[in-house]
Amino acid sequence: MKIVLLGAGNRARKYLEYIIANPDRVELVGVVEPNRLRRESIARKCGLTSDKLYVSADQFFALGRVADAIVIATPDKYHYPQAMAAIELGYHILLEKPIAQTVEEAEQIKLAADRAGVIVNVCYVLHFHPYFVKLRELVSSGRYGSIVSISHSAPVGIDRAGHVYVRGIWNRTESQGPLLTSKCCHDLDFLIWLTGSKCRALSSFGSLRWFCAENAPAGSAERCIDCRVEKTCPFSAVDLYRNRHAWISNFDVPNGMTINDAIEEQLANGPYGRCVYHCDNDVVDRQVVAMEMDSGVTIDLTVDVFTTSNRRVTKISMTNAEIVGDESCIRINTFRPRANEVYDFSSTLEAPYHAGADLATVENFLNAIEQGHDDSHTGIAHALESQRLCDEIECSRRLSN
Ligand SMILES: NC(=O)c1ccc[n+]([C@@H]2O[C@H](COP(=O)([O-])OP(=O)(O)OC[C@H]3O[C@@H](n4cnc5c(N)ncnc54)[C@H](O)[C@@H]3O)[C@@H](O)[C@H]2O)c1
């Protein structure tokens, strides 16, 4: 199987590890990436010659079909045009989430894929994560009765929010879609999978509350390195990148420079050195959603930005037990007999590649291609439902503002 990467950023590099580890099964035959440093770094790592490196998707698609499959791991706004161009050429696609920016685009991708007879599999990696797999297995085991309601918090966290949704490229709805779609489509997809049902009614509230100019403290500046209150600011870029070395994995390090030089360059001149109160962001920084599913299960979902936690917490009320999971542990209190069960997942918390789920995602995609059909839960037919839900939630949120 010959495969090409579109986008050579954070996500593509995860999937690449599967490709490198399985040379008997799959071979990387090209990288499409406008950023020269990233293109060349993958070329060095995988021994690709310069004729296999493409600066733009247009240049690549103009060649016709040069592989069996492609991984689309570009920013969200490119998913639709790139997926449509790839399907036209007959490529099978491993498509990063969200499928597209609207449900109409996502439906067009599915229709085109069905017509062309190609597989489009969506990178909903939680389906392969041991903790989420176990949670679903327990809930559907029948041992605890049926689900009554679910309370789920989807943590964004202040570091991720500052890096991705305030200073970073996902900070504007018009270019990258709403935060709920770009971040929490995973959560919605998981809740649909967990309950085995679709949503029949919902409402949502949310807005940009804090990361805007009117909340800038006295003494703050356009850049954290010039700020007089930086030392006490919880959102300081100096603290995040220079002191804690967090969220720096996609800072490019040109030849002759170190990662510390790259951090200082960002702090002085890059988008990641900007004060969170002086950015061009407009995505929400808090949101709640209430849903009723076809099965009658009610769900409340909270998008949690103002936390240092990055763990999803799911409380599932069942007719004979209460199940609470926080990604580190699943605790079950049964009602009769009164008993407790504990499943420990602490060892998977920091395990690489989302505890192996990123690698299993590629494997599942290759299996579907080999079988010639994809009825897995991450196939586009199933994944469409979460895209539909994201659109409807955003519609409700806008109407309530
Ligand atoms: N499945 C998950 O758990 C998960 C997690 C994070 C992000 N994502 C999704 O993965 C996708 C990529 O996110 P990322 O974190 O890797 O971002 P990234 O910025 O690290 O990587 C994206 C890469 O695409 C390149 N690129 C930009 N425009 C391009 C174009 N027109 N053609 C080809 N390449 C182009 C960029 O230069 C960059 O290297 C996004 O859709 C994001 O929502 C998924």
Side-chain angles (χ1 to χ4, degrees):
M1 193 105 62
K2 293 189 182 346
I3 201 163
V4 171
L5 295 181
L6 248 84
N10 164 44
R11 294 306 303 161
R13 287 194 293 260
K14 304 284 191 301
Y15 304 128
L16 180 63
E17 291 305 318
Y18 179 94
I19 298 170
I20 291 172
N22 292 277
D24 298 343
R25 194 158 191 210
V26 57
E27 180 193 2
L28 182 73
V29 295
V31 173
V32 186
E33 168 59 62
N35 180 315
R36 183 178 58 81
L37 293 172
R38 293 181 188 185
R39 248 183 357 252
E40 291 178 355
S41 130
I42 291 192
R44 273 194 304 278
K45 189 165 178 172
C46 301
L48 286 185
T49 49
S50 59
D51 58 320
K52 301 284 192 294
L53 307 180
Y54 311 99
V55 177
S56 78
D58 289 347
Q59 180 198 4
F60 169 69
F61 288 127
L63 297 174
R65 190 166 186 259
V66 298
D68 303 294
I70 65 171
V71 178
I72 298 183
T74 50
D76 305 3
K77 66 180 170 185
Y78 299 117
H79 293 184
Y80 171 70
Q82 293 178 345
M84 293 301 277
I87 291 168
E88 177 89 30
L89 290 171
Y91 285 110
H92 300 292
I93 306 174
L94 182 60
L95 179 59
E96 256 307 350
K97 46 64 41 180
I99 302 170
Q101 290 192 290
T102 64
V103 72
E104 289 78 16
E105 289 178 352
E107 281 167 354
Q108 283 183 43
I109 294 174
K110 177 176 180 307
L111 280 177
D114 287 349
R115 270 198 300 267
V118 298
I119 306 282
V120 177
N121 198 274
V122 183
C123 298
Y124 277 137
V125 297
L126 301 187
H127 289 262
F128 305 100
H129 190 292
Y131 162 85
F132 292 95
V133 170
K134 185 69 185 177
L135 199 51
R136 181 169 181 270
E137 181 193 307
L138 290 166
V139 166
S140 31
S141 67
R143 299 210 305 267
Y144 310 105
S146 53
I147 311 175
V148 177
S149 59
I150 300 175
S151 183
H152 179 86
S153 92
V156 177
I158 55 170
D159 290 350
R160 182 197 299 267
H163 179 78
V164 179
Y165 299 106
V166 180
R167 301 183 176 103
I169 58 172
W170 274 269
N171 72 348
R172 291 202 60 83
T173 308
E174 66 187 344
S175 58
Q176 294 293 343
L179 181 146
L180 189 108
T181 306
S182 59
K183 176 77 177 86
C184 303
C185 59
H186 272 304
D187 300 87
L188 293 161
D189 173 74
F190 169 65
L191 292 166
I192 292 166
W193 184 48
L194 186 70
T195 56
S197 63
K198 298 179 179 177
C199 177
R200 71 169 173 229
L202 64 86
S203 68
S204 180
F205 299 89
S207 60
L208 178 59
R209 157 78 176 82
W210 186 246
F211 297 117
C212 33
E214 65 256 34
N215 294 318
S220 64
E222 298 280 322
R223 291 198 162 267
C224 297
I225 49 171
D226 302 321
C227 176
R228 285 194 279 121
V229 292
E230 180 280 315
K231 289 273 181 289
T232 54
C233 175
F235 314 109
S236 160
V238 173
D239 186 47
L240 182 64
Y241 305 121
R242 185 194 282 165
N243 300 350
R244 289 191 277 131
H245 269 214
W247 290 93
I248 55 172
S249 68
N250 68 344
F251 286 179
D252 295 312
V253 184
N255 278 342
M257 277 174 77
T258 64
I259 183 66
N260 287 337
D261 297 331
I263 292 171
E264 293 310 317
E265 171 58 24
Q266 279 296 339
L267 292 177
N269 303 307
Y272 296 103
R274 294 180 295 170
C275 167
V276 290
Y277 303 107
H278 295 297
C279 289
D280 54 344
N281 55 307
D282 70 356
V283 300
V284 304
D285 56 17
R286 42 117 184 230
Q287 188 165 358
V288 292
V289 185
M291 294 182 278
E292 186 178 48
M293 309 303 274
D294 276 342
S295 56
V297 172
T298 55
I299 301 181
D300 64 83
L301 177 147
T302 303
V303 180
D304 207 359
V305 169
F306 293 87
T307 172
T308 53
S309 167
N310 57 5
R311 292 191 217 152
R312 293 175 166 91
V313 179
T314 313
K315 178 177 179 300
I316 307 159
S317 302
M318 304 201 55
T319 48
N320 193 31
E322 170 188 38
I323 302 180
V324 183
D326 68 354
E327 296 196 37
S328 171
C329 182
I330 299 172
R331 289 177 200 284
I332 305 180
N333 298 327
T334 56
F335 302 149
R336 188 141 189 206
R338 296 272 164 132
N340 301 319
E341 295 169 28
V342 178
Y343 298 86
D344 182 12
F345 283 88
S346 52
S347 64
T348 63
L349 278 179
E350 301 301 326
Y353 311 113
H354 284 127
D358 297 341
L359 312 180
T361 296
V362 185
E363 184 152 280
N364 173 65
F365 171 58
L366 298 182
N367 290 347
I369 297 175
E370 279 177 10
Q371 287 156 13
H373 61 89
D374 183 8
D375 41 19
S376 72
H377 282 281
T378 52
I380 189 159
H382 285 281
L384 262 182
E385 188 55 24
S386 52
Q387 182 90 41
R388 181 180 76 80
L389 202 44
C390 288
D391 278 26
E392 289 181 0
I393 291 170
E394 176 62 3
C395 181
S396 168
R397 185 194 71 81
R398 281 175 185 266
L399 283 172
S400 61
N401 267 339

